[in-house]
Amino acid sequence: MKPINLLSLVQAKKDLHSDKYKNYLNFYGINPKDKEVDDIERLMESVFKIKNEMKLLDNYYVGYTIPQIGKEFDLLRFGDNYVINIELKSYSTEDKILNQLVKNKYYLSFLNRKVHYFTFVSSEKKLYYLNNSDDIEEVDCSFLVNYLLNQQIEFIESVHKLFNPSDYLVSPFNSTDKFMNNEYFLTNQQKEIKKKILKDISDTSKSIFIALTGAAGTGKTLLTYDIAKDFIQNGKKVLVIHCGQLNSGQEKLNNKYGWEIIPIKDYSTYNLSNYNLLVIDESQRIYEKQFKDIVTKVQKNSGSCIFSYDKVQTLATWEENRNISEKIESLSSKKKYKLSEKIRTNKEIANFIKKLFNKKRNDIKVESKDNIEINYFHNEKETKAYLEYIKNLGWQVLSYTPSLYKNYYYEKFQIVSLTSHEAIGQEFDNVAIVINDKFKYNDEGKLHYFGATYYHPVKMLWQNLTRTRKKLNIIVVNNEEILKRCLEIIGK
């Protein structure tokens, strides 16, 4: 996307034929609606009445949308001293204006810059400003003109580089206080699915099962826990059954905020009929006997139950073979919703992971390698020394879950850190992972582990890799084939 002069945009719309106008918009990477350009024209007229100066209309990003998040801003102009955001409305109410500008303030706060927020209502030619108290006040257009004239225009190489999509996904586990203080917003897709789920489970006359699915990075955990929080804050009783070990964030929700989150192994000691809502989190890992028992009890009590899962995120062959997702989807009274928009995952890292797991995957590219590090070591001693070193630098080292029964080869290269099972549902800015010499590609080009194991190393590797928000560090141990593939992917 390129910044554009607003006068140029308005005149191009008036003078150019539709195909030429479309080409003109494509050059700038923008696609404003006709009514939005009309609103821009009215804003321009109001500005020029105060002062007829070209600087007032130059260097605007029109309809900029944060990648993967979908949050759009009508007009953004960047300066070395401050940023200006102007929203355009044909008609609106003060409540709606305030709500939008407060949301804009949240999303733009991650720029760590001073931002001035305005809304222009074209039908009334009224201008509103979000003040330091987060209230809106009607201001004269000269107020805006003054800020525009004094802004020291900044010319940006790539506006996308100013925004990191992962900043906007608050984790109930890793940002628990922010989550409980409502310091986040749901994406449009999350809000739409939440609205439908709340409507579904509002009918207490019959049992209802919700299948909520989504791949890593789609915000499934946030949406699941947001719905649970709504119920709790409305005085309803909610039991969250986690199919795994509880993490520190879940313990904090229990101990500090009074939630009831339990590991699946303890569920039989609870009377499920006492709860208005059951949430079965990471339910792809539940045992079939447990699944059938919970379903029977929900049906008997005409209860509501949300199964939240990603069928890919199994960690053992027997979990995959249970195929719980198919059993959930076969329930007669179920509604299924799928989150498909990636928010957390850094795109370059997501593409790197896909290509790493499939040697023949050539339909996607890793455009940038700035957030991917690759290190090679020959043996156990140097590998563990490096892991201890980077752990002290703030890297979250994720290990493969060891067996309770015997030691396996992959455990040689690990230090004390979170395991695959402990990391379920969590996310970390900087993740480091070891790939040893037992990982190879099979004849189909798929990543495979050629060695004895209890849990599934390839699935654990996938689980660990997809916990990454910003930076990924691959530590390759005595494995030239994997090193070669990693370097091929990032183009070195």
Side-chain angles (χ1 to χ4, degrees):
M1 173 179 272
K2 296 164 64 70
I4 192 171
N5 183 287
L6 297 184
L7 178 60
S8 175
L9 172 61
V10 169
Q11 293 189 348
K13 175 181 175 290
K14 287 184 175 181
D15 295 352
L16 300 180
H17 289 113
S18 59
D19 56 337
K20 303 265 190 323
Y21 178 57
K22 184 177 180 180
N23 289 339
Y24 176 81
L25 296 179
N26 287 341
F27 172 76
Y28 284 97
I30 62 177
N31 187 30
K33 296 176 182 177
D34 286 348
K35 73 177 188 63
E36 291 171 335
V37 181
D38 292 340
D39 290 340
I40 287 173
E41 183 176 10
R42 293 189 181 95
L43 171 65
M44 183 181 69
E45 290 169 354
S46 296
V47 165
F48 266 7
K49 280 184 179 179
I50 307 297
K51 195 171 186 68
N52 193 330
E53 188 169 325
M54 188 58 70
K55 178 186 177 180
L56 297 170
L57 303 180
D58 200 37
N59 216 64
Y60 289 85
Y61 288 89
V62 176
Y64 176 73
T65 301
I66 301 175
Q68 300 168 238
I69 299 298
K71 172 58 182 174
E72 183 178 352
F73 304 92
D74 290 342
L75 297 176
L76 281 177
R77 195 166 84 155
F78 295 91
D80 291 325
N81 50 346
Y82 48 78
V83 179
I84 293 175
N85 165 223
I86 307 172
E87 294 300 317
L88 303 166
K89 302 292 180 187
S90 298
Y91 302 92
S92 193
T93 65
E94 291 191 359
D95 285 344
K96 289 180 178 179
I97 291 170
L98 176 61
N99 183 52
Q100 182 179 33
L101 292 185
V102 168
K103 284 185 177 181
N104 287 10
K105 182 176 181 179
Y106 166 77
Y107 285 104
L108 294 178
S109 66
F110 290 92
L111 294 173
N112 293 316
R113 301 174 177 215
K114 176 65 179 175
V115 184
H116 295 285
Y117 303 90
F118 295 88
T119 294
F120 179 72
V121 183
S122 63
S123 61
E124 302 172 322
K125 293 191 176 181
K126 287 186 176 181
L127 185 68
Y128 295 89
Y129 177 71
L130 185 70
N131 61 31
N132 292 330
S133 301
D134 282 351
D135 291 321
I136 58 167
E137 53 186 81
E138 187 178 346
V139 295
D140 188 80
C141 199
S142 59
F143 186 78
L144 170 62
V145 168
N146 182 59
Y147 277 114
L148 293 172
L149 287 174
N150 289 299
Q151 189 179 29
Q152 299 163 10
I153 299 299
E154 178 183 2
F155 297 96
I156 299 167
E157 181 181 348
S158 172
V159 66
H160 287 323
K161 290 183 178 180
L162 299 178
F163 296 88
N164 188 336
S166 64
D167 286 334
Y168 303 100
L169 185 62
V170 169
S171 166
F173 307 148
N174 303 104
S175 310
T176 308
D177 291 331
K178 281 189 174 182
F179 169 72
M180 289 304 299
N181 291 329
N182 300 315
E183 295 177 27
Y184 64 93
F185 290 104
L186 301 179
T187 65
N188 290 335
Q189 186 186 43
Q190 287 173 319
K191 286 188 287 188
E192 185 61 29
I193 290 176
K194 176 182 177 179
K195 182 179 178 181
K196 291 177 179 178
I197 290 175
L198 292 178
K199 182 179 179 182
D200 291 336
I201 58 183
S202 65
D203 184 357
T204 57
S205 64
K206 59 182 180 179
S207 61
I208 181 72
F209 296 95
I210 303 294
L212 177 58
T213 72
T218 54
K220 171 171 52 65
T221 299
L222 176 61
L223 177 56
T224 301
Y225 277 69
D226 177 78
I227 292 170
K229 184 175 68 173
D230 264 21
F231 261 66
I232 293 168
Q233 291 179 342
N234 286 321
K236 304 289 182 65
K237 290 203 69 178
V238 177
L239 181 65
V240 179
I241 302 173
H242 181 71
C243 299
Q245 307 172 49
L246 297 194
N247 58 50
S248 59
Q250 290 167 321
E251 296 284 7
K252 188 172 184 178
L253 286 170
N254 283 342
N255 299 329
K256 183 176 179 179
Y257 294 103
W259 283 46
E260 287 188 85
I261 306 173
I262 62 171
I264 183 67
K265 64 184 178 68
D266 296 339
Y267 91 94
S268 61
T269 63
Y270 285 73
N271 184 350
L272 303 189
S273 65
N274 289 336
Y275 297 90
N276 302 105
L277 176 66
L278 297 181
V279 175
I280 318 299
D281 192 24
E282 303 292 344
S283 49
Q284 74 275 3
R285 304 188 60 237
I286 195 173
Y287 286 102
E288 186 171 357
K289 182 180 178 180
Q290 295 167 331
F291 170 75
K292 288 181 177 178
D293 185 41
I294 290 173
V295 167
T296 299
K297 289 176 177 176
V298 171
Q299 289 172 332
K300 181 181 178 180
N301 298 302
S302 299
S304 296
C305 179
I306 297 174
F307 288 102
S308 177
Y309 61 96
D310 173 10
K311 65 180 182 180
V312 176
Q313 298 279 358
T314 51
L315 298 178
T317 302
W318 59 86
E319 289 179 354
E320 183 178 25
N321 292 340
R322 288 180 205 141
N323 201 2
I324 292 296
S325 61
E326 184 177 281
K327 294 176 174 60
I328 293 171
E329 291 165 25
S330 68
L331 293 169
S332 59
S333 61
K334 73 98 180 51
K335 297 286 185 73
K336 182 180 178 181
Y337 300 100
K338 182 177 181 179
L339 286 162
S340 58
E341 297 175 357
K342 291 271 186 175
I343 355 178
R344 183 186 74 220
T345 309
N346 180 303
K347 187 176 180 181
E348 68 189 273
I349 292 175
N351 287 347
F352 177 88
I353 294 170
K354 291 173 185 175
K355 292 173 77 72
L356 176 64
F357 277 74
N358 188 342
K359 197 175 182 179
K360 297 182 179 180
R361 188 79 188 264
N362 296 313
D363 58 322
I364 52 176
K365 292 182 179 180
V366 178
E367 300 290 351
S368 171
K369 41 194 175 273
D370 295 343
N371 294 316
I372 300 172
E373 294 188 20
I374 299 171
N375 288 278
Y376 179 87
F377 295 97
H378 178 69
N379 58 33
E380 172 187 350
K381 182 179 179 181
E382 282 79 9
T383 300
K384 294 175 80 169
Y386 178 72
L387 292 175
E388 292 286 3
Y389 166 70
I390 62 174
K391 184 178 180 180
N392 292 329
L393 295 178
W395 287 87
Q396 179 63 63
V397 179
L398 296 182
S399 300
Y400 304 95
T401 305
S403 168
L404 296 174
Y405 308 106
K406 61 183 291 188
N407 293 327
Y408 287 95
Y409 179 74
Y410 61 75
E411 297 176 43
K412 289 173 57 178
F413 306 98
Q414 301 186 167
I415 62 172
V416 177
S417 62
L418 286 180
T419 66
S420 301
H421 283 72
E422 291 169 333
I424 289 172
Q426 298 193 70
E427 57 193 48
F428 310 95
D429 285 349
N430 307 314
V431 171
I433 293 163
V434 172
I435 301 180
N436 65 48
D437 54 327
K438 298 294 185 184
F439 286 92
K440 307 284 184 183
Y441 290 100
N442 62 19
D443 293 339
E444 297 176 346
K446 301 289 182 63
L447 192 63
H448 191 76
Y449 188 81
F450 293 86
T453 182
Y454 182 73
Y455 294 111
H456 199 310
V458 174
K459 289 182 173 294
M460 289 192 289
L461 177 61
W462 177 272
Q463 164 73 216
N464 292 353
L465 289 169
T466 55
R467 301 303 94 204
T468 311
R469 280 165 49 101
K470 294 181 180 179
K471 286 184 175 292
L472 177 63
N473 191 341
I474 301 287
I475 297 97
V476 181
V477 183
N478 196 27
N479 192 330
E480 291 189 26
E481 181 183 13
I482 295 298
L483 178 65
K484 179 184 177 183
R485 178 55 179 164
C486 289
L487 296 176
E488 284 175 350
I489 293 171
I490 62 175
K492 291 202 174 187

mmCIF file of all heavy atoms in Angstrom, residues 360-389:
data_model
loop_
_atom_site.group_PDB
_atom_site.id
_atom_site.type_symbol
_atom_site.label_atom_id
_atom_site.label_comp_id
_atom_site.label_asym_id
_atom_site.label_seq_id
_atom_site.Cartn_x
_atom_site.Cartn_y
_atom_site.Cartn_z
ATOM 1 N N LYS A 360 7.938 -31.343 -0.510
ATOM 2 C CA LYS A 360 7.433 -31.080 -1.863
ATOM 3 C C LYS A 360 6.498 -29.881 -1.911
ATOM 4 O O LYS A 360 5.909 -29.595 -2.956
ATOM 5 C CB LYS A 360 6.728 -32.324 -2.392
ATOM 6 C CG LYS A 360 7.667 -33.523 -2.544
ATOM 7 C CD LYS A 360 6.942 -34.739 -3.109
ATOM 8 C CE LYS A 360 7.903 -35.915 -3.265
ATOM 9 N NZ LYS A 360 7.230 -37.115 -3.820
ATOM 10 N N ARG A 361 6.370 -29.191 -0.803
ATOM 11 C CA ARG A 361 5.460 -28.040 -0.739
ATOM 12 C C ARG A 361 6.143 -26.826 -1.362
ATOM 13 O O ARG A 361 6.973 -26.164 -0.737
ATOM 14 C CB ARG A 361 5.087 -27.762 0.714
ATOM 15 C CG ARG A 361 3.995 -26.708 0.901
ATOM 16 C CD ARG A 361 2.636 -27.293 0.656
ATOM 17 N NE ARG A 361 1.615 -26.288 0.649
ATOM 18 C CZ ARG A 361 0.843 -25.966 1.699
ATOM 19 N NH1 ARG A 361 0.995 -26.610 2.830
ATOM 20 N NH2 ARG A 361 -0.085 -25.039 1.601
ATOM 21 N N ASN A 362 5.770 -26.516 -2.596
ATOM 22 C CA ASN A 362 6.396 -25.399 -3.310
ATOM 23 C C ASN A 362 5.401 -24.316 -3.715
ATOM 24 O O ASN A 362 5.734 -23.403 -4.468
ATOM 25 C CB ASN A 362 7.114 -25.926 -4.567
ATOM 26 C CG ASN A 362 8.249 -26.865 -4.211
ATOM 27 O OD1 ASN A 362 9.055 -26.579 -3.342
ATOM 28 N ND2 ASN A 362 8.290 -28.021 -4.879
ATOM 29 N N ASP A 363 4.168 -24.422 -3.212
ATOM 30 C CA ASP A 363 3.132 -23.470 -3.608
ATOM 31 C C ASP A 363 3.132 -22.209 -2.750
ATOM 32 O O ASP A 363 2.367 -21.281 -3.008
ATOM 33 C CB ASP A 363 1.758 -24.126 -3.536
ATOM 34 C CG ASP A 363 1.445 -24.665 -2.144
ATOM 35 O OD1 ASP A 363 2.377 -25.185 -1.505
ATOM 36 O OD2 ASP A 363 0.283 -24.570 -1.710
ATOM 37 N N ILE A 364 3.972 -22.166 -1.710
ATOM 38 C CA ILE A 364 4.055 -20.994 -0.847
ATOM 39 C C ILE A 364 5.508 -20.573 -0.699
ATOM 40 O O ILE A 364 6.426 -21.369 -0.908
ATOM 41 C CB ILE A 364 3.448 -21.269 0.550
ATOM 42 C CG1 ILE A 364 4.057 -22.542 1.161
ATOM 43 C CG2 ILE A 364 1.939 -21.358 0.481
ATOM 44 C CD1 ILE A 364 3.595 -22.845 2.555
ATOM 45 N N LYS A 365 5.708 -19.305 -0.340
ATOM 46 C CA LYS A 365 7.057 -18.782 -0.192
ATOM 47 C C LYS A 365 7.242 -18.181 1.201
ATOM 48 O O LYS A 365 6.289 -17.718 1.818
ATOM 49 C CB LYS A 365 7.338 -17.704 -1.244
ATOM 50 C CG LYS A 365 7.409 -18.230 -2.668
ATOM 51 C CD LYS A 365 7.748 -17.098 -3.635
ATOM 52 C CE LYS A 365 7.851 -17.609 -5.058
ATOM 53 N NZ LYS A 365 8.188 -16.507 -6.008
ATOM 54 N N VAL A 366 8.467 -18.206 1.659
ATOM 55 C CA VAL A 366 8.833 -17.488 2.883
ATOM 56 C C VAL A 366 9.502 -16.203 2.426
ATOM 57 O O VAL A 366 10.662 -16.195 2.009
ATOM 58 C CB VAL A 366 9.783 -18.332 3.766
ATOM 59 C CG1 VAL A 366 10.189 -17.536 4.999
ATOM 60 C CG2 VAL A 366 9.109 -19.633 4.169
ATOM 61 N N GLU A 367 8.719 -15.127 2.417
ATOM 62 C CA GLU A 367 9.173 -13.873 1.827
ATOM 63 C C GLU A 367 10.300 -13.221 2.623
ATOM 64 O O GLU A 367 11.160 -12.558 2.079
ATOM 65 C CB GLU A 367 7.993 -12.891 1.707
ATOM 66 C CG GLU A 367 6.849 -13.395 0.837
ATOM 67 C CD GLU A 367 7.192 -13.443 -0.635
ATOM 68 O OE1 GLU A 367 8.266 -12.915 -1.016
ATOM 69 O OE2 GLU A 367 6.401 -14.003 -1.411
ATOM 70 N N SER A 368 10.276 -13.395 3.938
ATOM 71 C CA SER A 368 11.277 -12.771 4.781
ATOM 72 C C SER A 368 11.832 -13.804 5.755
ATOM 73 O O SER A 368 11.139 -14.738 6.148
ATOM 74 C CB SER A 368 10.660 -11.607 5.565
ATOM 75 O OG SER A 368 11.556 -11.124 6.543
ATOM 76 N N LYS A 369 13.092 -13.660 6.114
ATOM 77 C CA LYS A 369 13.707 -14.575 7.064
ATOM 78 C C LYS A 369 14.177 -13.859 8.320
ATOM 79 O O LYS A 369 14.964 -14.389 9.101
ATOM 80 C CB LYS A 369 14.866 -15.315 6.405
ATOM 81 C CG LYS A 369 15.733 -14.465 5.504
ATOM 82 C CD LYS A 369 16.623 -15.338 4.646
ATOM 83 C CE LYS A 369 17.417 -14.511 3.639
ATOM 84 N NZ LYS A 369 16.705 -14.285 2.404
ATOM 85 N N ASP A 370 13.695 -12.641 8.531
ATOM 86 C CA ASP A 370 14.150 -11.826 9.656
ATOM 87 C C ASP A 370 13.838 -12.461 11.002
ATOM 88 O O ASP A 370 14.558 -12.253 11.978
ATOM 89 C CB ASP A 370 13.523 -10.431 9.593
ATOM 90 C CG ASP A 370 13.986 -9.641 8.377
ATOM 91 O OD1 ASP A 370 15.005 -10.025 7.784
ATOM 92 O OD2 ASP A 370 13.319 -8.650 8.028
ATOM 93 N N ASN A 371 12.741 -13.238 11.085
ATOM 94 C CA ASN A 371 12.314 -13.789 12.364
ATOM 95 C C ASN A 371 12.607 -15.271 12.513
ATOM 96 O O ASN A 371 12.063 -15.933 13.397
ATOM 97 C CB ASN A 371 10.815 -13.538 12.565
ATOM 98 C CG ASN A 371 10.504 -12.060 12.710
ATOM 99 O OD1 ASN A 371 11.206 -11.352 13.410
ATOM 100 N ND2 ASN A 371 9.472 -11.605 12.036
ATOM 101 N N ILE A 372 13.458 -15.801 11.642
ATOM 102 C CA ILE A 372 13.802 -17.219 11.703
ATOM 103 C C ILE A 372 15.316 -17.370 11.848
ATOM 104 O O ILE A 372 16.077 -16.823 11.050
ATOM 105 C CB ILE A 372 13.321 -17.965 10.446
ATOM 106 C CG1 ILE A 372 11.800 -17.852 10.314
ATOM 107 C CG2 ILE A 372 13.754 -19.437 10.497
ATOM 108 C CD1 ILE A 372 11.257 -18.378 9.012
ATOM 109 N N GLU A 373 15.721 -18.096 12.878
ATOM 110 C CA GLU A 373 17.143 -18.380 13.083
ATOM 111 C C GLU A 373 17.383 -19.872 12.959
ATOM 112 O O GLU A 373 16.541 -20.679 13.356
ATOM 113 C CB GLU A 373 17.600 -17.897 14.466
ATOM 114 C CG GLU A 373 17.546 -16.380 14.630
ATOM 115 C CD GLU A 373 18.177 -15.922 15.936
ATOM 116 O OE1 GLU A 373 18.971 -16.704 16.514
ATOM 117 O OE2 GLU A 373 17.869 -14.803 16.366
ATOM 118 N N ILE A 374 18.535 -20.233 12.382
ATOM 119 C CA ILE A 374 18.893 -21.642 12.228
ATOM 120 C C ILE A 374 20.302 -21.830 12.765
ATOM 121 O O ILE A 374 21.236 -21.124 12.355
ATOM 122 C CB ILE A 374 18.817 -22.079 10.754
ATOM 123 C CG1 ILE A 374 17.386 -21.917 10.231
ATOM 124 C CG2 ILE A 374 19.277 -23.530 10.598
ATOM 125 C CD1 ILE A 374 17.260 -22.106 8.747
ATOM 126 N N ASN A 375 20.440 -22.762 13.686
ATOM 127 C CA ASN A 375 21.755 -23.050 14.266
ATOM 128 C C ASN A 375 22.035 -24.545 14.168
ATOM 129 O O ASN A 375 21.125 -25.371 14.324
ATOM 130 C CB ASN A 375 21.811 -22.602 15.726
ATOM 131 C CG ASN A 375 21.856 -21.091 15.861
ATOM 132 O OD1 ASN A 375 22.922 -20.486 15.738
ATOM 133 N ND2 ASN A 375 20.702 -20.469 16.093
ATOM 134 N N TYR A 376 23.300 -24.878 13.913
ATOM 135 C CA TYR A 376 23.700 -26.280 13.734
ATOM 136 C C TYR A 376 24.741 -26.656 14.782
ATOM 137 O O TYR A 376 25.700 -25.915 15.028
ATOM 138 C CB TYR A 376 24.292 -26.485 12.338
ATOM 139 C CG TYR A 376 24.748 -27.905 12.074
ATOM 140 C CD1 TYR A 376 23.863 -28.856 11.583
ATOM 141 C CD2 TYR A 376 26.059 -28.283 12.337
ATOM 142 C CE1 TYR A 376 24.266 -30.158 11.347
ATOM 143 C CE2 TYR A 376 26.473 -29.595 12.103
ATOM 144 C CZ TYR A 376 25.576 -30.525 11.620
ATOM 145 O OH TYR A 376 25.985 -31.819 11.387
ATOM 146 N N PHE A 377 24.548 -27.822 15.417
ATOM 147 C CA PHE A 377 25.527 -28.362 16.359
ATOM 148 C C PHE A 377 25.711 -29.843 16.090
ATOM 149 O O PHE A 377 24.833 -30.516 15.540
ATOM 150 C CB PHE A 377 25.081 -28.119 17.815
ATOM 151 C CG PHE A 377 25.027 -26.668 18.176
ATOM 152 C CD1 PHE A 377 23.827 -25.968 18.122
ATOM 153 C CD2 PHE A 377 26.178 -25.988 18.538
ATOM 154 C CE1 PHE A 377 23.771 -24.623 18.440
ATOM 155 C CE2 PHE A 377 26.137 -24.648 18.859
ATOM 156 C CZ PHE A 377 24.940 -23.952 18.799
ATOM 157 N N HIS A 378 26.867 -30.354 16.533
ATOM 158 C CA HIS A 378 27.221 -31.725 16.189
ATOM 159 C C HIS A 378 26.774 -32.738 17.238
ATOM 160 O O HIS A 378 26.417 -33.865 16.907
ATOM 161 C CB HIS A 378 28.754 -31.840 16.004
ATOM 162 C CG HIS A 378 29.215 -33.223 15.704
ATOM 163 N ND1 HIS A 378 28.936 -33.852 14.507
ATOM 164 C CD2 HIS A 378 29.914 -34.123 16.456
ATOM 165 C CE1 HIS A 378 29.452 -35.058 14.522
ATOM 166 N NE2 HIS A 378 30.050 -35.265 15.683
ATOM 167 N N ASN A 379 26.787 -32.338 18.517
ATOM 168 C CA ASN A 379 26.501 -33.349 19.536
ATOM 169 C C ASN A 379 25.688 -32.795 20.699
ATOM 170 O O ASN A 379 25.320 -31.621 20.732
ATOM 171 C CB ASN A 379 27.808 -33.977 20.043
ATOM 172 C CG ASN A 379 28.752 -32.935 20.629
ATOM 173 O OD1 ASN A 379 28.316 -31.939 21.211
ATOM 174 N ND2 ASN A 379 30.052 -33.148 20.490
ATOM 175 N N GLU A 380 25.461 -33.684 21.664
ATOM 176 C CA GLU A 380 24.601 -33.379 22.803
ATOM 177 C C GLU A 380 25.151 -32.250 23.672
ATOM 178 O O GLU A 380 24.413 -31.330 24.072
ATOM 179 C CB GLU A 380 24.446 -34.652 23.644
ATOM 180 C CG GLU A 380 23.731 -34.469 24.955
ATOM 181 C CD GLU A 380 23.784 -35.732 25.796
ATOM 182 O OE1 GLU A 380 24.199 -36.795 25.290
ATOM 183 O OE2 GLU A 380 23.402 -35.642 26.988
ATOM 184 N N LYS A 381 26.450 -32.289 23.968
ATOM 185 C CA LYS A 381 27.039 -31.333 24.902
ATOM 186 C C LYS A 381 26.888 -29.898 24.415
ATOM 187 O O LYS A 381 26.420 -29.021 25.164
ATOM 188 C CB LYS A 381 28.520 -31.677 25.119
ATOM 189 C CG LYS A 381 29.212 -30.757 26.113
ATOM 190 C CD LYS A 381 30.674 -31.159 26.293
ATOM 191 C CE LYS A 381 31.381 -30.222 27.270
ATOM 192 N NZ LYS A 381 32.814 -30.583 27.439
ATOM 193 N N GLU A 382 27.283 -29.642 23.151
ATOM 194 C CA GLU A 382 27.202 -28.279 22.620
ATOM 195 C C GLU A 382 25.753 -27.811 22.474
ATOM 196 O O GLU A 382 25.424 -26.645 22.704
ATOM 197 C CB GLU A 382 27.918 -28.182 21.274
ATOM 198 C CG GLU A 382 29.433 -28.115 21.371
ATOM 199 C CD GLU A 382 30.063 -29.482 21.606
ATOM 200 O OE1 GLU A 382 29.328 -30.495 21.529
ATOM 201 O OE2 GLU A 382 31.280 -29.533 21.874
ATOM 202 N N THR A 383 24.893 -28.742 22.107
ATOM 203 C CA THR A 383 23.473 -28.399 21.944
ATOM 204 C C THR A 383 22.872 -27.926 23.266
ATOM 205 O O THR A 383 22.217 -26.878 23.333
ATOM 206 C CB THR A 383 22.674 -29.613 21.431
ATOM 207 O OG1 THR A 383 23.209 -30.022 20.171
ATOM 208 C CG2 THR A 383 21.204 -29.262 21.275
ATOM 209 N N LYS A 384 23.094 -28.663 24.328
ATOM 210 C CA LYS A 384 22.526 -28.317 25.622
ATOM 211 C C LYS A 384 23.138 -27.035 26.177
ATOM 212 O O LYS A 384 22.443 -26.231 26.806
ATOM 213 C CB LYS A 384 22.714 -29.476 26.598
ATOM 214 C CG LYS A 384 21.905 -30.716 26.192
ATOM 215 C CD LYS A 384 22.174 -31.910 27.083
ATOM 216 C CE LYS A 384 21.421 -31.822 28.368
ATOM 217 N NZ LYS A 384 21.485 -33.104 29.121
ATOM 218 N N ALA A 385 24.434 -26.818 25.898
ATOM 219 C CA ALA A 385 25.083 -25.577 26.341
ATOM 220 C C ALA A 385 24.454 -24.378 25.639
ATOM 221 O O ALA A 385 24.201 -23.330 26.266
ATOM 222 C CB ALA A 385 26.580 -25.629 26.057
ATOM 223 N N TYR A 386 24.182 -24.519 24.340
ATOM 224 C CA TYR A 386 23.551 -23.428 23.582
ATOM 225 C C TYR A 386 22.129 -23.173 24.083
ATOM 226 O O TYR A 386 21.708 -22.017 24.234
ATOM 227 C CB TYR A 386 23.542 -23.763 22.090
ATOM 228 C CG TYR A 386 22.864 -22.708 21.250
ATOM 229 C CD1 TYR A 386 23.463 -21.476 21.025
ATOM 230 C CD2 TYR A 386 21.606 -22.933 20.700
ATOM 231 C CE1 TYR A 386 22.835 -20.495 20.263
ATOM 232 C CE2 TYR A 386 20.969 -21.970 19.938
ATOM 233 C CZ TYR A 386 21.587 -20.753 19.729
ATOM 234 O OH TYR A 386 20.962 -19.781 18.981
ATOM 235 N N LEU A 387 21.380 -24.236 24.356
ATOM 236 C CA LEU A 387 20.007 -24.079 24.836
ATOM 237 C C LEU A 387 19.964 -23.347 26.180
ATOM 238 O O LEU A 387 19.109 -22.478 26.402
ATOM 239 C CB LEU A 387 19.331 -25.444 24.973
ATOM 240 C CG LEU A 387 19.049 -26.203 23.666
ATOM 241 C CD1 LEU A 387 18.483 -27.582 23.969
ATOM 242 C CD2 LEU A 387 18.091 -25.426 22.768
ATOM 243 N N GLU A 388 20.885 -23.697 27.066
ATOM 244 C CA GLU A 388 20.948 -23.008 28.359
ATOM 245 C C GLU A 388 21.281 -21.530 28.161
ATOM 246 O O GLU A 388 20.727 -20.651 28.841
ATOM 247 C CB GLU A 388 21.997 -23.666 29.266
ATOM 248 C CG GLU A 388 21.632 -25.072 29.733
ATOM 249 C CD GLU A 388 20.552 -25.083 30.802
ATOM 250 O OE1 GLU A 388 20.025 -24.013 31.151
ATOM 251 O OE2 GLU A 388 20.216 -26.194 31.270
ATOM 252 N N TYR A 389 22.160 -21.262 27.213
ATOM 253 C CA TYR A 389 22.574 -19.879 26.930
ATOM 254 C C TYR A 389 21.403 -19.038 26.425
ATOM 255 O O TYR A 389 21.127 -17.957 26.952
ATOM 256 C CB TYR A 389 23.715 -19.889 25.915
ATOM 257 C CG TYR A 389 24.013 -18.545 25.292
ATOM 258 C CD1 TYR A 389 24.585 -17.519 26.048
ATOM 259 C CD2 TYR A 389 23.724 -18.300 23.951
ATOM 260 C CE1 TYR A 389 24.845 -16.280 25.479
ATOM 261 C CE2 TYR A 389 23.985 -17.069 23.381
ATOM 262 C CZ TYR A 389 24.544 -16.065 24.137
ATOM 263 O OH TYR A 389 24.801 -14.841 23.575
#
